[in-house]
Amino acid sequence: MSGPEQTGARRAIALEYDGAAAPRITAIGQDRLAEQIVALAREHGVPLVENAELAGLLGRLELGDEIPETLYLCIAQIIAFAYRLRGRTPEGWEEPVETASAPGETLEPELPLLPGPSVQPHRGKP
């Protein structure tokens, strides 16, 4: 049995998020088409995240599908990271105040860019 999972095919998935509904799949491609999707995203300054496992899950969806609820947190982290890269925040959002609990102690800042629970961006390859 062969398929993208067995052959190591390169995959690219593009998402669109308007803030009103769940993100939707706007492009799906493998190999050459995946390279074209990535090149077009780079040309237009679209942030890229490389995650083969996530691409495998999203690649099972159809063009125009909303992402499933089980992937909301993962995709929210990516969107939050993209917002942070562009210096954007949702309306009404305020930067969290950092406080140290002991003299000389420093805390790593959190990057909660979406309303709701605090999320940290994926720190893997862009």
Side-chain angles (χ1 to χ4, degrees), residues 2-13 28-35 38 50-57 59:
S2 66
E5 291 79 15
Q6 288 78 28
T7 63
R10 184 171 169 116
R11 205 179 264 183
I13 314 292
I28 301 174
Q30 289 186 30
D31 297 323
R32 197 169 201 52
L33 183 54
E35 290 174 15
V38 170
E50 190 170 309
N51 184 320
E53 290 179 29
L54 180 57
L57 292 171

Side-chain angles (χ1 to χ4, degrees), residues 45-118:
V46 175
L48 300 170
V49 173
E50 190 170 309
N51 184 320
E53 290 179 29
L54 180 57
L57 292 171
L58 293 173
R60 295 177 184 165
L61 302 174
E62 298 292 325
L63 197 61
D65 284 353
E66 287 186 351
I67 63 161
E69 189 174 340
T70 56
L71 294 178
Y72 280 5
L73 180 58
C74 180
I75 299 300
Q77 290 174 332
I78 292 169
I79 292 170
F81 183 67
Y83 271 43
R84 186 66 163 198
L85 287 175
R86 293 182 168 188
R88 292 178 52 197
T89 58
E91 185 176 321
W93 183 83
E94 294 181 21
E95 186 78 34
V97 177
E98 293 181 39
T99 59
S101 59
E105 181 180 348
T106 58
L107 302 174
E108 282 202 27
E110 293 184 9
L111 303 176
L113 296 177
L114 299 176
S118 180

